[in-house]
Amino acid sequence: DSGVTQTPKHLITATGQRVTLRCSPRSGDLSVYWYQQSLDQGLQFLIQYYNGEERAKGNILERFSAQQFPDLHSELNLSSLELGDSALYFCASTTRNTGELFFGEGSRLTVL
Amino acid sequence: AQTVTQSQPEMSVQEAETVTLSCTYDTSESDYYLFWYKQPPSRQMILVIRQEAYKQQNATENRFSVNFQKAAKSFSLKISDSQLGDAAMYFCAYRSVGGNQFYFGTGTSLTVIP
């Protein structure tokens, strides 16, 4: 157990819909990262937050947005969903002390 | 920008044998972290091993060890006594000390043959 909690684990929705993925980082971790992994693909960095502020942005579509709340949990909002948005979405958190990313189990999104 | 290259998309190893997965990276930084992550069929990302660049000693975790060659910017993962449970996708990753960004390689898919 990495200590990073993601909900929901699985989500099936239709094209054009909007979903929200939620992430709670490890206790004490201020940084949250979101990644997208399509089937048999590598990890695509979407966005990073540190203590409520956006710190880095990757290849995140305009239809996607995220935020980190004062209690440090984060949400990734995906709107106007397309078939190609079907993927595994990972949240990860990190601490400065040890450097590594701790990943949640991912939210598996299927768009039909 | 830093890049991480895994030149072996697929590898296979016989059970109980040893296999080495390659990773090279490009950076102008002198202090950084390197990681190997394992992603089994469950698709959960699991940290296998980490290496701090300032440490000359290669990291070891049970059957997993690395060969860290800082000058060559190489960071290979050796899996000894391979087990069926080692079958997974393995990702190499880089992070500079104090940096926000993590850079991942494209992954190496490891098959373990019984």
Side-chain angles (χ1 to χ4, degrees):
Chain A
D1 183 5
S2 67
V4 178
T5 304
Q6 287 189 249
T7 57
K9 287 187 168 48
H10 300 275
L11 190 56
I12 300 174
T13 189
T15 54
Q17 296 298 304
R18 181 180 188 274
V19 298
T20 297
L21 309 180
R22 182 188 169 100
C23 169
S24 294
R26 289 191 331 150
S27 177
D29 286 356
L30 302 179
S31 272
V32 169
Y33 295 73
W34 286 98
Y35 289 87
Q36 179 193 56
Q37 187 180 37
S38 301
L39 191 63
D40 295 329
Q41 298 293 314
L43 292 166
Q44 296 296 320
F45 169 64
L46 296 178
I47 199 163
Q48 181 222 349
Y49 282 84
Y50 179 83
N51 202 19
E53 294 187 2
E54 181 184 307
R55 279 295 179 90
K57 189 177 276 192
N59 297 322
I60 187 167
L61 299 172
E62 286 191 7
R63 301 183 286 108
F64 295 2
S65 65
Q67 55 183 327
Q68 186 180 27
F69 295 87
D71 67 352
L72 301 177
H73 91 271
S74 178
E75 293 181 356
L76 179 66
N77 300 296
L78 315 175
S79 62
S80 303
L81 285 167
E82 302 175 359
L83 295 178
D85 297 328
S86 295
L88 188 57
Y89 291 85
F90 283 109
C91 171
S93 70
T94 186
T95 173
R96 287 182 179 274
N97 294 336
T98 56
E100 65 259 40
L101 275 175
F102 295 88
F103 284 84
E105 293 185 356
S107 292
R108 189 182 301 273
L109 173 67
T110 302
V111 182
L112 301 176
Chain B
Q2 286 81 357
T3 57
V4 177
T5 302
Q6 293 180 250
S7 58
Q8 306 153 316
E10 297 178 350
M11 293 280 286
S12 62
V13 62
Q14 292 280 349
E15 195 175 2
E17 296 297 308
T18 296
V19 64
T20 299
L21 308 184
S22 300
C23 173
T24 58
Y25 57 95
D26 185 25
T27 184
S28 57
E29 304 281 342
S30 60
D31 205 6
Y32 45 86
Y33 301 105
L34 294 165
F35 312 95
W36 279 99
Y37 283 89
K38 170 185 177 182
Q39 188 178 39
S42 67
R43 300 193 75 183
Q44 183 166 3
M45 293 288 289
I46 302 165
L47 178 69
V48 174
I49 201 165
R50 64 191 293 274
Q51 174 83 41
E52 290 137 324
Y54 72 88
K55 290 185 177 179
Q56 292 187 339
Q57 186 173 6
N58 290 324
T60 298
E61 289 287 343
N62 300 315
R63 297 182 294 107
F64 298 86
S65 61
V66 299
N67 183 5
F68 173 47
Q69 302 288 330
K70 190 172 184 180
K73 298 179 183 176
S74 172
F75 183 60
S76 60
L77 175 69
K78 186 172 81 171
I79 306 174
S80 303
D81 185 24
S82 296
Q83 300 176 0
L84 295 177
D86 296 333
M89 182 72 83
Y90 287 83
F91 291 96
C92 178
Y94 166 101
R95 176 191 187 183
S96 64
V97 172
N100 292 326
Q101 289 296 308
F102 287 77
Y103 298 88
F104 284 85
T106 51
T108 295
S109 178
L110 178 67
T111 300
V112 180
I113 303 167

